[in-house]
Amino acid sequence: MKRKARKTTTLDAIKAMRRGGREAEQELFGPGFHSFNKTHKSKKTYTRKAKHKSKADAEA
């Protein structure tokens, strides 16, 4: 008994595109979760770390 060939649907195409996008993302950034929507940190936010201070703050 032969099985019927399954037709590709738009849902299959969407799943394939998502899978391809995920694989490409993992090639660029490595495995795991990577957030792309981070809140903008204000320049006025105080921090003691030297790596976060601007040159103007260092001179003052």
Side-chain angles (χ1 to χ4, degrees):
M1 186 191 306
K2 281 189 173 181
R3 287 187 165 181
K4 290 184 178 180
R6 192 172 152 216
K7 291 183 180 179
T8 57
T9 62
T10 55
L11 290 177
D12 293 334
I14 291 171
K15 284 182 184 179
M17 289 174 60
R18 286 183 179 170
R19 189 178 304 123
R22 177 72 177 149
E23 289 173 1
E25 180 183 316
Q26 286 184 342
E27 285 180 18
L28 287 174
F29 301 112
F33 176 77
H34 299 91
S35 176
F36 294 103
N37 297 324
K38 292 185 179 180
T39 56
H40 181 265
K41 192 173 181 181
S42 174
K43 206 172 188 185
K44 293 181 179 181
T45 303
Y46 178 75
T47 179
R48 293 182 182 194
K49 294 186 179 184
K51 69 178 184 178
H52 295 290
K53 293 184 179 182
S54 63
K55 290 181 182 180
D57 292 340
E59 292 173 3

